């Protein structure tokens, strides 16, 4: 299957729409970081991204449209002799919506980002289809996608043990091949403004050596009081590698968010991941050198945001993590950040964070980051 031919054919077809008018823009970002490496010394890396996006309406009301975004990424570890360059098509989709009886039918097709109910297991883009029917009383959705055409240098997945990785010397290297699907139902305002949701997701590797995973999630969220909100979800995960026996795991997350004022939020969060649980998208649980995923871990955290003026955001977080198997510490970490909207299209920010290993299985790390983003 030639992805280049698919993209070319889609562009030609879209250009034939009568009165097809494009809106477009771009984004330039810079990230400069200083991090400690495994021997405790600092090293520096520089990352820059340039992206362009287009959007074209497909009806007079602009509710149906085509949109796409491509990016160029430059990364330079100043301790290495050469830099890396990546090209990516991060977004390429058609969105359609239609009013049907008492609800709406939404349809997405192409390459776009999607997430599971937890936001931990699956959070990435892929090539596929998302169909959703929604009313004031419920929403039902179905999703199916394929990862084999993604750029494996930019998308981060937890792959099979036999996957040799991608070639970071290439601009574009194909990712491992999985079919991802899910079905979800949400019942908003089911009782006392509470929302109940359920989802079943499955990921199947299409190569000879299998690495398949299935997840079932229940989620409930809503207000406890006018300024206090909660969210609880629990996932049963099943994974099996090739012809081996399946392993069962659990991921459970609880979050309590308080709004002391219109300018401040305080969140307390706990995440439990059993020893045999593993997700699909690489989502580091700790900002340590080894960046572990959510498995064999109990993580407790506190996060705060403060917005003293409209253009300034201050953030802070503190986390501690424990190993489930023998009850020992993983480590503790903290992070402070500031983001300032200098003017409508230009944002600058900085952050400082440290991780301390407490069981001699990881490496302490300090990260200092300065970033900027310019939209046009």
């Amino acid at each position: 299957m030639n992805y280049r031919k698919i993209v070319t054919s889609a562009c030609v077809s879209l250009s034939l729409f009568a009165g097809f008018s494009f809106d477009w823009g771009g984004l330039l970002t810079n990230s400069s970081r200083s991090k400690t490496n495994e021997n405790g010394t600092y090293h520096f890396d520089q990352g820059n991204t340039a992206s362009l996006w287009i959007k074209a309406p497909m009806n007079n009301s602009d509710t149906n449209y085509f949109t796409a975004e491509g990016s160029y990424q430059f990364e330079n570890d100043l301790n290495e002799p050469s830099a890396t360059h990546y090209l990516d098509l991060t977004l390429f989709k058609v969105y359609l919506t239609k009013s049907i009886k008492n609800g709406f039918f939404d349809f997405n097709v192409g390459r776009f980002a999607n997430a599971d109910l937890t936001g931990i297991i699956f959070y990435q883009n892929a090539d596929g289809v998302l169909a959703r029917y929604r009313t004031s009383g419920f929403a039902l959705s179905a999703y199916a996608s394929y990862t084999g055409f993604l750029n494996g240098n930019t998308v981060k997945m937890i792959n099979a043990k036999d996957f040799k990785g991608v070639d970071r010397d290439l601009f574009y290297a194909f990712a491992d091949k999985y079919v991802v699907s899910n079905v979800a139902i949400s019942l908003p305002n089911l009782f006392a403004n509470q929302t109940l949701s359920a989802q079943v997701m499955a990921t199947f590797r299409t190569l000879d050596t299998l690495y398949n995973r299935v997840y079932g999630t229940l989620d409930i969220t809503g207000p406890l009081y006018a300024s206090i909100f909660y969210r609880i979800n629990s996932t049963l995960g099943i994974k099996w590698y090739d012809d081996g026996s399946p392993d069962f795991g659990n991921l459970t997350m609880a979050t309590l968010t308080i709004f002391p004022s219109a300018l401040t939020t305080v969140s307390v969060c706990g995440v439990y991941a059993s020893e045999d649980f593993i997700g699909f998208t690489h989502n580091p649980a700790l900002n340590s050198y080894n960046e572990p995923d959510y498995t064999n871990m109990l993580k407790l955290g506190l996060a705060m945001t403060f917005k003293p003026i409209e253009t300034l955001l201050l953030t802070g977080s503190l986390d501690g993590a424990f190993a489930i198997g023998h009850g020992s510490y993983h480590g503790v970490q903290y992070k402070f950040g500031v983001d300032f909207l200098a003017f409508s299209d230009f944002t600058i920010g900085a952050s400082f964070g440290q991780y301390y290993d407490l069981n001699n299985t990881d490496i302490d790390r300090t990260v200092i980051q300065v970033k900027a983003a310019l939209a046009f």
Side-chain angles (χ1 to χ4, degrees), residues 100-254:
I100 301 176
K101 293 184 179 180
N102 298 321
F104 293 88
F105 179 76
D106 303 328
F107 186 76
N108 297 265
V109 59
R111 175 172 295 184
F112 54 92
N114 195 26
D116 76 302
L117 282 175
T118 70
I120 291 178
I121 299 171
F122 181 87
Y123 187 81
Q124 64 178 76
N125 59 0
D127 300 310
V129 177
L130 171 64
R132 178 176 57 211
Y133 178 69
R134 52 189 171 91
T135 70
S136 59
F138 79 97
L140 180 65
S141 65
Y143 170 77
S145 66
Y146 179 66
T147 66
F149 294 130
L150 300 175
N151 188 347
N153 286 323
T154 58
V155 67
K156 307 300 181 185
M157 301 187 304
I158 303 172
N159 292 306
K161 291 179 288 187
D162 67 312
F163 184 65
K164 302 304 181 183
V166 292
D167 189 346
R168 302 193 68 83
D169 293 329
L170 297 177
F171 286 97
Y172 201 106
F174 289 123
D176 206 356
K177 300 173 174 60
Y178 293 89
V179 172
V180 181
S181 62
N182 73 56
V183 176
I185 185 170
S186 179
L187 304 172
N189 302 318
L190 182 62
F191 61 92
N193 294 321
Q194 310 300 302
T195 297
L196 178 66
S197 302
Q199 183 180 64
V200 176
M201 183 173 70
T203 69
F204 301 102
R205 196 181 192 210
T206 61
L207 300 179
D208 292 336
T209 303
L210 304 179
Y211 186 35
N212 301 329
R213 284 156 279 185
V214 177
Y215 309 92
T217 303
L218 285 176
D219 178 281
I220 185 168
T221 183
L224 293 175
Y225 189 67
S227 59
I228 303 176
F229 293 79
Y230 79 98
R231 184 170 188 178
I232 300 173
N233 57 58
S234 187
T235 301
L236 172 65
I238 308 172
K239 64 179 175 69
W240 59 96
Y241 181 75
D242 209 14
D243 294 327
S245 59
D247 295 318
F248 295 83
N250 174 254
L251 176 75
T252 297
M253 178 170 59

Side-chain angles (χ1 to χ4, degrees), residues 8-86:
T8 303
S9 299
C11 290
V12 172
S13 300
L14 290 168
S15 67
L16 299 178
F17 278 97
F20 207 69
S21 60
F22 288 95
D23 187 17
W24 68 278
L27 181 69
L28 301 174
T29 65
N30 172 81
S31 175
S32 302
R33 292 187 300 179
S34 174
K35 301 183 294 186
T36 50
N37 58 21
E38 57 185 336
N39 61 11
T41 61
Y42 282 89
H43 76 277
F44 301 88
D45 63 58
Q46 177 75 24
N48 297 93
T49 301
S51 60
L52 290 173
W53 60 267
I54 59 172
K55 182 180 179 182
M58 298 172 62
N59 60 356
N60 293 331
S61 60
D62 199 19
T63 56
N64 300 336
Y65 57 86
F66 162 76
T67 184
E69 182 178 32
S71 66
Y72 159 74
Q73 296 183 36
F74 165 84
E75 295 182 6
N76 185 19
D77 186 335
L78 299 184
N79 294 295
E80 298 294 333
S82 61
T84 54
H85 307 266
Y86 304 132

Side-chain angles (χ1 to χ4, degrees), residues 297-318:
M297 182 183 301
L298 174 63
K299 178 182 175 183
L300 304 175
L302 174 68
M304 300 180 63
T305 67
F306 179 54
K307 203 170 186 180
I309 58 176
E310 184 64 26
T311 57
L312 181 65
L313 177 65
L314 307 177
T315 61
S317 63
L318 174 66

Side-chain angles (χ1 to χ4, degrees), residues 3 88-93 110-112 126-127 149-150 172:
Y3 190 69
D88 203 0
L89 183 65
T90 55
L91 177 67
F92 190 91
K93 78 168 185 177
R111 175 172 295 184
F112 54 92
D127 300 310
F149 294 130
L150 300 175
Y172 201 106

Side-chain angles (χ1 to χ4, degrees), residues 322-370:
F322 308 84
I324 298 300
H326 40 79
S328 65
Y329 293 99
H330 270 297
V332 296
Q333 64 184 19
Y334 69 89
K335 184 177 181 180
F336 297 104
V338 55
D339 291 286
F340 178 63
L341 182 63
F343 51 88
S344 60
D345 296 323
F346 181 62
T347 303
I348 56 176
S351 63
F352 177 84
Q354 290 184 302
Y355 171 83
Y356 295 98
D357 174 55
L358 298 178
N359 63 356
N360 299 319
T361 61
D362 210 327
I363 300 171
D364 295 348
R365 167 169 275 195
T366 299
V367 179
I368 304 170
Q369 183 176 22
V370 178

